[in-house]
C-alpha cells in the first residue's frame, strides 16, 4: 500500500510530457477553441483520405492480378 501511494505521488509530481501533449498545449495557447477543432477535423479528414486511397490501391492491384493473363495456362473453352 505504501509503495502504491509513493508511486502515485511521484507520477503526479513529475508528469510525463509527450510530444503530442506539448504540441497540443502550444496549440491551445496559440489558437482559439474553434480553430483547434477545425485543425483536428481537417487532419482527421486527411488521415481518412489516405486510408481510402491505400484501400483503392490495394483493390486495384488485386483487380490487375485477376485480369492479368497467366503465362502457359490455357483458360479458354478448349483447355480440357
Amino acid at each position: 500500500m505504501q509503495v502504491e501511494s509513493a508511486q502515485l505521488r511521484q507520477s503526479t509530481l513529475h508528469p510525463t510530457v509527450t510530444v503530442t501533449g506539448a504540441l497540443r498545449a502550444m496549440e491551445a495557447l496559440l489558437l482559439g477553441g474553434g480553430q483547434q477543432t477545425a485543425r483536428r477535423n481537417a487532419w482527421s479528414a486527411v488521415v481518412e483520405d489516405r486510408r481510402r486511397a491505400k484501400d483503392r490501391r490495394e483493390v486495384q492491384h488485386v483487380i490487375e492480378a485477376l485480369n492479368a493473363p497467366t503465362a502457359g495456362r490455357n483458360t479458354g473453352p478448349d483447355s480440357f
Side-chain angles (χ1 to χ4, degrees):
M1 193 71 159
Q2 266 183 331
V3 173
E4 289 177 11
S5 62
Q7 288 174 343
L8 179 61
R9 274 186 280 133
Q10 184 179 11
S11 66
T12 56
L13 292 175
H14 302 291
T16 303
V17 178
T18 63
V19 172
T20 303
L23 290 174
R24 287 197 179 186
M26 290 300 296
E27 181 183 49
L29 288 172
L30 298 174
L31 302 175
Q35 288 178 339
Q36 286 180 34
T37 302
R39 285 173 51 91
R40 288 190 185 132
N41 288 345
W43 182 248
S44 294
V46 167
V47 170
E48 186 61 22
D49 286 346
R50 288 178 181 173
R51 187 195 59 78
R52 281 193 299 266
K54 178 179 175 250
D55 290 346
R56 279 194 304 271
R57 283 191 306 273
E58 289 174 356
V59 168
Q60 185 63 36
H61 288 303
V62 170
I63 290 171
E64 289 171 359
L66 291 173
N67 288 333
T70 54
R73 186 171 147 195
N74 295 326
T75 58
D78 299 328
S79 62
F80 295 103

